[in-house]
Amino acid sequence: MYMDSMLDCDLLVIGGGLNGTAIARDAAGRGLSVILCEQDDLACGASALGPALIHGLTPGSQAIDFPALRIALTERDILMRCAPHISKTARIVMPQTGAERSGWKMRTALRLQNLLAGRDLLPAAREIDLLHHVAGGALRPEYSHGWIYSDGWIDAARLTVLNALDAAEGGAKILTRTACREIQRSQEGWHASLRGSRGISTGIRTRALVNAAGGGADDFLQAALGKRLSARALHLTQILVRRALSHDYAYLLHAADGRQVHVMPQEPGYTLISALGSEEAEADVEADSALLCETVNRYFTARIAPQDIVWSRSTVWLSPLDRQARARQVHADYSLEMDSEEAPLLSVIGGSIGSARQLAEEAVNCIASRLGCHGGAWTADACLPGGDLYGLAPSSRSIVEFSNFVQAAKQQYSWAPAALIARWARCYGSRIHKLLADCRDAKDLGAQPLPGLYEAELRYLMQAEWAQTAADILWRRTRLGLALPKEAEAALDGWIAESTAQEFAAAV
Ligand SMILES: Cc1cc2nc3c(=O)[nH]c(=O)nc-3n(C[C@H](O)[C@H](O)[C@H](O)COP(=O)(O)OP(=O)(O)OC[C@H]3O[C@@H](n4cnc5c(N)ncnc54)[C@H](O)[C@@H]3O)c2cc1C
């Protein structure tokens, strides 16, 4: 078949979500030549989440599994130290319900969590009197007692982009808006056909393949090779309501059907409500949204209705089917299926934000040895781009003293709006100095196509972080979309088209 160009590599990663980019980063850092293709923008699938909980294990919700809990807590801390600028402490409140009358199970689970978690990063779990706690103010009076525990918030979309950035800086080629259409075994290993958004076709000769297509991994394998993964599809529904909580606490509630519902404050003035997994063949976003509203109304005094929803989505997520396969992996929330008839083809099933680094490490361990690459695991001790706030090595200081970093940046760039510097410090960490390298005063920030969004940032995102459209910028590189009116997206797309045309005209 005719291809516009041909490329060779050791490893082709299909899918630019968190798992795919983490694998590309790890493999590139071990010296493999890597190409990653993403059919849309980076982090446009499950990883499009903004702030999400890192370890996500709910105390008391399942049988206590010491090794799994220890690993999840350790990974959470590694992630927060490696990417301190995009992480924050999350405090989660669980109101006690009638079904949990004695609460002994929860007390035991929280004691265990306190025992296993390091105490230098996050506050300990404890019981709380909700009648006298700020998080209790929004709840109905019957919820007078509960528990509070810690996890980390991390911006999952930015984490994905930072993994891609680190992969690229390690030599990987990142091709966004490029779908993998076909794969075939070949003498070298695999031949893959990619197609870009302008119809440009690229052939890839690769020694190994990773199928990290997220919720589409099973369909991809079925279409490409007629094989199925050992996975079940779950639908995860999220709704965003225009309702502000007067504090930063999140809540963990239980829906009438037993599902866990997370209620999480989002800036500015929104609340994100999500339910973990229904296993229906087709997602029923309307029914799920109604269930989420009903759950919130059972716990909170202020009622919400489907009309309050400003945005909703249901995403397909794969979960490993085979419990034994799951148990063989270090983390129990994913499995890696290797099709090793000849050249390696590894498919990723499931995972979570907290397990992505380790999943990538295991995936690359499997592949690297088959490709004769002997580079060892390295990502647990390496900051993600911008995470080196106080030295190159990941440190707790970067989390604990993050506000000092912001303060110092505000002083250094005292000519720039303080709110802009605070936002950039959260988004770009130490890379803020790169964004501002050529700026001496406010006019060097350039035009401001939207309030608070300057040309200096737009150029950086388009040149260094693969942003091409307003949606890439407003929803996946920043979360400014939440604070801006709907028309903002079209206005920014107009600015991007105009400035791209001007650059093109200047170049020819
Ligand atoms: C609603 C929801 C809420 C969640 N909440 C949490 C949470 O609170 N905490 C937590 O730890 N985890 C959470 N998770 C799980 C977490 O988001 C994922 O584990 C993580 O984002 C990794 O996703 P991924 O990379 O495997 O898939 P995705 O992010 O979906 O990436 C797969 C990518 O592959 C691309 N692709 C597909 N086919 C092709 C092709 N043929 N060619 C090129 N590209 C292709 C897609 O466009 C997509 O971008 C949640 C997931 C969902 C869906």
Side-chain angles (χ1 to χ4, degrees):
M1 193 197 301
Y2 171 79
M3 290 282 151
D4 294 310
S5 63
M6 283 299 299
L7 297 171
D8 291 281
C9 62
D10 293 323
L11 175 64
L12 173 67
V13 179
I14 301 161
L18 180 55
N19 289 333
T21 55
I23 291 170
R25 173 190 185 224
D26 190 318
R30 296 197 208 191
L32 292 170
S33 67
V34 178
I35 297 176
L36 178 145
C37 69
E38 162 55 52
Q39 64 187 2
D40 197 323
D41 181 28
L42 296 170
C44 68
S47 313
L49 305 166
L53 296 174
I54 298 178
H55 88 62
L57 294 181
T58 311
S61 67
Q62 58 270 95
I64 293 171
D65 177 347
F66 281 87
L69 184 58
R70 185 189 290 280
I71 289 167
L73 294 170
T74 307
E75 273 302 307
R76 177 194 69 194
D77 292 358
I78 290 175
L79 183 52
M80 290 184 80
R81 289 190 186 102
C82 291
H85 52 313
I86 57 167
S87 334
K88 276 187 194 172
T89 303
R91 296 287 280 158
I92 301 135
V93 171
M94 290 181 292
Q96 184 176 15
T97 62
E100 258 280 359
R101 207 167 288 285
S102 72
W104 67 267
K105 200 172 154 197
M106 192 60 75
R107 271 182 213 108
T108 315
L110 292 183
R111 237 176 253 148
L112 180 67
Q113 183 150 328
N114 284 345
L115 208 68
L116 294 178
R119 283 278 63 81
D120 60 332
L121 286 188
L122 302 177
R126 62 183 172 86
E127 292 190 39
I128 48 169
D129 169 4
L130 286 167
L131 296 178
H132 297 97
H133 189 280
V134 61
L139 294 170
R140 295 162 72 103
E142 59 265 38
Y143 298 104
S144 57
H145 178 264
W147 296 273
I148 186 163
Y149 71 100
S150 298
D151 195 349
W153 293 120
I154 196 151
D155 186 323
R158 275 223 62 74
L159 179 62
T160 304
V161 173
L162 295 186
N163 271 294
L165 194 54
D166 214 27
E169 290 176 2
K173 200 173 183 62
I174 308 292
L175 303 172
T176 60
R177 293 180 161 95
T178 305
C180 180
R181 288 291 184 80
E182 234 180 77
I183 53 170
Q184 279 170 349
R185 290 189 189 276
S186 68
Q187 269 184 339
E188 305 84 13
W190 291 95
H191 181 275
S193 309
L194 311 186
R195 184 160 290 264
S197 55
R198 293 191 187 95
I200 295 170
S201 57
T202 308
I204 308 279
R205 283 182 293 255
T206 180
R207 297 167 66 203
L209 263 176
V210 165
N211 166 17
D218 190 34
D219 290 345
F220 177 79
L221 203 68
Q222 161 79 4
L225 300 178
K227 294 185 176 177
R228 295 236 81 122
L229 292 172
S230 185
R232 64 194 171 125
L234 296 177
H235 293 278
L236 298 157
T237 302
Q238 295 179 303
I239 59 172
L240 187 74
V241 293
R242 200 186 298 275
R243 189 64 61 82
L245 291 164
S246 58
H247 52 69
D248 280 343
Y249 295 93
Y251 297 85
L252 178 73
L253 315 175
H254 287 95
D257 67 0
R259 271 193 266 168
Q260 291 179 1
V261 173
H262 281 100
V263 176
M264 302 186 272
Q266 303 271 298
E267 289 163 15
Y270 292 89
T271 304
L272 184 71
I273 304 163
S274 59
L276 291 174
S278 78
E279 240 180 282
E280 309 300 325
E282 291 294 324
D284 188 343
V285 188
E286 241 173 73
D288 276 352
S289 302
L291 177 92
L292 292 176
C293 292
E294 186 269 324
T295 306
V296 166
N297 293 338
R298 267 196 302 116
Y299 283 85
F300 287 83
T301 45
R303 295 182 69 77
I304 57 166
Q307 305 81 273
D308 297 315
I309 299 173
V310 288
W311 168 94
S312 65
R313 73 166 187 167
S314 182
T315 316
V316 178
W317 186 236
L318 295 186
S319 172
L321 197 56
D322 172 3
R323 287 193 169 273
Q324 280 180 342
R326 229 155 74 159
R328 283 196 295 275
Q329 314 299 152
V330 177
H331 236 283
D333 65 9
Y334 64 82
S335 73
L336 302 174
E337 274 192 25
M338 179 70 102
D339 179 332
S340 54
E341 258 172 48
E342 292 154 39
L345 161 59
L346 186 132
S347 293
V348 175
I349 302 169
S352 63
I353 295 162
S355 65
R357 190 207 63 80
Q358 200 162 41
L359 177 157
E361 195 170 279
E362 272 187 71
V364 181
N365 284 346
C366 287
I367 291 166
S369 56
R370 287 161 199 252
L371 299 184
C373 162
H374 302 296
W378 61 280
T379 53
D381 301 313
C383 284
L384 279 146
D388 52 345
L389 306 184
Y390 295 105
L392 287 181
S395 71
S396 300
R397 185 180 171 206
S398 299
I399 300 164
V400 179
E401 294 184 27
F402 183 76
S403 57
N404 295 348
F405 172 79
V406 179
Q407 212 40 48
K410 282 182 182 168
Q411 272 166 16
Q412 184 175 349
Y413 304 107
S414 55
W415 49 264
L420 180 76
I421 296 299
R423 180 172 73 75
W424 281 11
R426 265 268 163 245
C427 220
Y428 307 107
S430 63
R431 299 258 162 141
I432 190 173
H433 304 304
K434 197 169 173 182
L435 265 88
L436 288 164
D438 298 327
C439 300
R440 299 286 166 267
D441 56 35
K443 71 175 180 332
D444 290 337
L445 293 171
Q448 197 180 171
L450 293 175
L453 193 57
Y454 291 87
E455 206 173 336
E457 183 176 13
L458 291 167
R459 299 240 173 263
Y460 173 79
L461 292 175
M462 289 161 73
Q463 283 159 15
E465 293 196 359
W466 302 274
Q468 292 183 23
T469 68
D472 299 352
I473 291 165
L474 299 179
W475 296 105
R476 293 178 285 275
R477 303 302 181 284
T478 71
R479 299 280 290 163
L480 289 172
L482 272 179
L484 292 165
K486 273 210 170 89
E487 318 75 79
E489 210 167 300
L492 185 56
D493 272 327
W495 184 89
I496 292 171
E498 204 176 302
S499 71
T500 312
Q502 278 170 9
E503 266 171 34
F504 182 71
V508 289

